[in-house]
Amino acid sequence: MKESTEIERCYGRSGREFTIIRRDGMYECPSCHNLYKWKKSMLSHLRNQCKQPPRFECPHCTMKNYQKSHMIRHLRVHHPQLTQMFWDRKLSGFFRL
């Protein structure tokens, strides 16, 4: 079976140019080479996760995550008896649920 590859040039919000590779219907991150079914998922990964530390941190344990909803679920499941709060690295502050 022959592999199909498409190359597309895009520009980020900062005006920086980058290349998107689509291989067999999957979008490849130009930085870490993870594969995504949807272009918007790959762009979201590139903007929010790729080569960046997790944005949200649990103050009660070592858990860190890129998504607020995952941090909220973690607090409710693993720390229901403790203060429901988390650290937001981007905003540099603690937030309560």
Side-chain angles (χ1 to χ4, degrees):
M1 186 171 168
K2 189 175 180 181
E3 185 178 290
S4 66
T5 303
E6 301 171 29
I7 298 176
E8 180 182 337
R9 299 228 183 269
C10 290
Y11 295 90
R13 292 179 179 166
S14 64
R16 185 176 59 102
E17 181 183 39
F18 59 93
T19 303
I20 295 177
I21 299 172
R22 188 171 186 203
R23 187 172 289 127
D24 291 332
M26 300 291 284
Y27 291 93
E28 182 178 321
C29 174
S31 185
C32 67
H33 307 290
N34 284 350
L35 295 173
Y36 297 88
K37 183 174 181 179
W38 308 106
K39 183 178 178 180
K40 68 179 184 177
S41 298
M42 190 277 300
L43 292 173
S44 176
H45 156 79
L46 195 59
R47 190 170 40 251
N48 300 314
Q49 295 179 359
C50 194
K51 296 186 176 182
Q52 293 186 30
R55 178 176 173 180
F56 303 103
E57 298 180 17
C58 177
H60 309 299
C61 67
T62 60
M63 196 272 198
K64 298 177 182 178
N65 206 295
Y66 293 97
Q67 294 185 27
K68 182 178 176 180
S69 62
H70 292 174
M71 180 56 65
I72 291 169
R73 182 178 61 213
H74 165 79
L75 288 167
R76 289 184 176 149
V77 170
H78 297 284
H79 308 296
Q81 72 286 2
L82 299 175
T83 305
Q84 299 289 294
M85 59 192 293
F86 59 90
W87 174 258
D88 186 333
R89 180 184 301 276
K90 185 175 180 181
L91 301 176
S92 296
F94 281 101
F95 293 89
R96 295 180 81 123
L97 301 184

